[in-house]
Amino acid sequence: DAMVIQNPRYQVTQFGKPVTLSCSQTLNHNVMYWYQQKSSQAPKLLFHYYDKDFNNEADTPDNFQSRRPNTSFCFLDIRSPGLGDAAMYLCATSSGRDTDTQYFGPGTRLTVL
Amino acid sequence: QKEVEQNSGPLSVPEGAIASLNCTYSDRGSQSFFWYRQYSGKSPELIMFIYSNGDKEDGRFTAQLNKASQYVSLLIRDSQPSDSATYLCAVRGDSNYQLIWGAGTKLIIKP
């Protein structure tokens, strides 16, 4: 089955220790998204890629970076995690065409100690 | 700033009854509307999308869109305990690649 895969599912890191989250997709979608979601809140868009074109949301902190080395993979780097970065990180994809629906991976739960 | 509003709940509905979830949005020009279901600790899962005024049915789910009044609703017929989850409403923003999200309504189906 075509799907969006995220690894790891759970990540524990220490305050200030860099961490990388990964996302891969077999849907062959052009667009990939990274969201941050905290408890009882709406998902917050951090970035998206249309193919290789990177789009950063205006209020995404500089501490968050992203890479998309190819169509299938996308990475989220948190350079110096703070306690406030503990959250669920969601990767989503969409085709990039007019009737655009976003499909989510299972998420990575990040804990910062 | 464009906004999507949902009642946070919890909305408690007896098993077998109809659950009605509502969402209002601020941008009159919005064209695309999505309902996602999210179980606790899991990621959002698409239930339905709707683009045109009126009703769209898929199994036990019906989405209703009223652009004049700027609201979209989701009806769940014959509610089951497995429908207990948070339901997120999302509206397409300025670009094709941006969704404006509501904070979700927590639905509890009581056996």
Side-chain angles (χ1 to χ4, degrees):
Chain A
D1 285 342
M3 57 177 57
V4 182
I5 301 164
Q6 291 187 244
N7 285 301
R9 296 290 307 279
Y10 301 91
Q11 176 73 59
V12 179
T13 190
Q14 292 181 334
F15 183 94
K17 185 174 182 180
V19 66
T20 295
L21 310 181
S22 73
C23 177
S24 63
Q25 54 125 345
T26 60
L27 296 161
N28 202 30
H29 280 170
N30 289 318
V31 192
M32 295 186 77
Y33 309 78
W34 280 107
Y35 285 91
Q36 179 193 65
Q37 189 180 27
K38 297 184 177 181
S39 181
S40 301
Q41 296 184 18
K44 178 181 182 301
L45 183 63
L46 299 174
F47 335 88
H48 76 270
Y49 280 90
Y50 187 102
D51 197 9
K52 292 185 178 181
D53 292 335
F54 175 71
N55 295 270
N56 191 30
E57 294 301 300
D59 57 353
T60 298
D62 292 340
N63 197 28
F64 292 86
Q65 303 288 319
S66 185
R67 299 169 281 135
R68 189 179 185 185
N70 55 52
T71 302
S72 300
F73 284 85
C74 197
F75 299 95
L76 173 64
D77 301 308
I78 309 176
R79 295 194 291 187
S80 181
L83 297 179
D85 296 326
M88 174 79 89
Y89 289 87
L90 299 164
C91 175
T93 73
S94 69
S95 64
R97 291 187 287 274
D98 286 343
T99 53
D100 210 28
T101 301
Q102 294 185 18
Y103 296 94
F104 285 83
T108 296
R109 169 72 64 186
L110 177 68
T111 300
V112 181
L113 301 178
Chain B
Q1 186 170 349
K2 297 175 183 176
E3 294 182 339
V4 174
E5 299 286 340
Q6 295 181 257
N7 187 320
S8 62
L11 174 65
S12 184
V13 173
E15 183 176 358
I18 296 175
S20 178
L21 303 161
N22 298 312
C23 170
T24 59
Y25 59 94
S26 62
D27 181 11
R28 186 170 290 278
S30 297
Q31 297 293 322
S32 306
F33 308 86
F34 303 84
W35 282 102
Y36 285 83
R37 177 176 62 197
Q38 187 172 28
Y39 292 114
S40 181
K42 305 295 186 182
S43 63
E45 172 191 10
L46 179 72
I47 296 177
M48 293 186 72
F49 56 84
I50 186 168
Y51 304 129
S52 303
N53 268 335
D55 295 0
K56 179 182 179 183
E57 186 174 319
D58 183 1
R60 295 187 297 112
F61 298 95
T62 300
Q64 299 176 318
L65 175 60
N66 184 323
K67 289 186 178 180
S69 300
Q70 293 176 240
Y71 81 80
V72 56
S73 61
L74 179 71
L75 302 179
I76 308 174
R77 288 182 300 281
D78 188 24
S79 298
Q80 303 296 311
S82 60
D83 295 324
S84 299
T86 295
Y87 289 80
L88 297 165
C89 172
V91 177
R92 171 133 320 126
D94 286 334
S95 82
N96 282 341
Y97 317 118
Q98 179 192 46
L99 291 179
I100 312 298
W101 294 84
T105 298
K106 183 173 183 178
L107 176 65
I108 298 172
I109 306 299
K110 291 187 170 182

